[in-house]
Structure formats: structure tokens, C-alpha cells
Amino acid sequence: MSIWEKLLFKLQNLSKDLRFDELKKVLERIGYSMDKPNGGSSHYTFRKPNCNPITIPKHNPIKIIYVKKIKEIVEKEILNNENN
């Protein structure tokens, strides 16, 4: 199983031990770029053209609510790629 497949597996199963760097890799793989926070904030924003920005606080592990949000986005991206 490749690293990408392992990350997707953890995401699909809503793993409670997902780390910020792992979610960052997933989002960057599907075309998002990360903006660093201003003024000492721990919230990072990920942007992609024609998509809503995603803001995630840098905590390890990531809170499950953010994992669910990223899971939904990845599922939509994968479905869009399969339909095109």
C-alpha cells in the first residue's frame, strides 16, 4: 500500500490520530496551496481556484470535525476526477 493509499485509508476511516502534516499532504495532492498564518495564529488556510478556502488549526492530532470536512472534500474531488 502506497503512502497516498494509507493517507486516504486513514481519512476514509476518520482516524483520530491524523496529523496536520498528513492532511496538508492530502490537500496539496488535490491541488490546494497553503497560506501561512499572520501574527502568530495557529490557523492555516488552504486555497484552490474556484473552491472555498479551508482553514485548519495546526494541532496534533487534528480534531475530528476537520478530518470529516477534508474527507468530504477529497470524496468530491475524486468523484469529479472519475466523472471527467
Side-chain angles (χ1 to χ4, degrees):
M1 188 181 283
S2 71
I3 293 172
W4 174 245
E5 290 169 335
K6 288 178 185 177
L7 284 175
L8 287 180
F9 182 79
K10 285 176 80 172
L11 191 62
Q12 288 291 79
N13 291 304
L14 299 174
S15 176
K16 294 181 181 179
D17 67 343
L18 267 169
R19 305 187 66 71
F20 179 84
D21 290 338
E22 292 173 323
L23 281 186
K24 178 180 176 237
K25 286 178 188 178
V26 169
L27 287 170
E28 288 176 342
R29 174 89 180 245
I30 62 172
Y32 283 82
S33 60
M34 184 179 75
D35 294 337
K36 294 187 179 182
N38 295 328
S41 174
S42 65
H43 289 67
Y44 288 75
T45 302
F46 293 85
R47 298 181 189 282
K48 181 177 179 178
N50 302 318
C51 294
N52 291 329
I54 305 162
T55 301
I56 302 173
K58 187 174 184 179
H59 298 290
N60 287 313
I62 296 291
K63 292 182 180 178
I64 196 71
I65 189 73
Y66 297 105
V67 175
K68 287 178 182 178
K69 181 190 283 190
I70 303 306
K71 178 185 175 195
E72 289 175 13
I73 291 167
V74 169
E75 286 174 346
K76 286 178 188 175
E77 289 285 330
I78 290 172
L79 287 176
N80 285 339
N81 287 339
E82 288 176 357
N83 291 332
N84 291 332

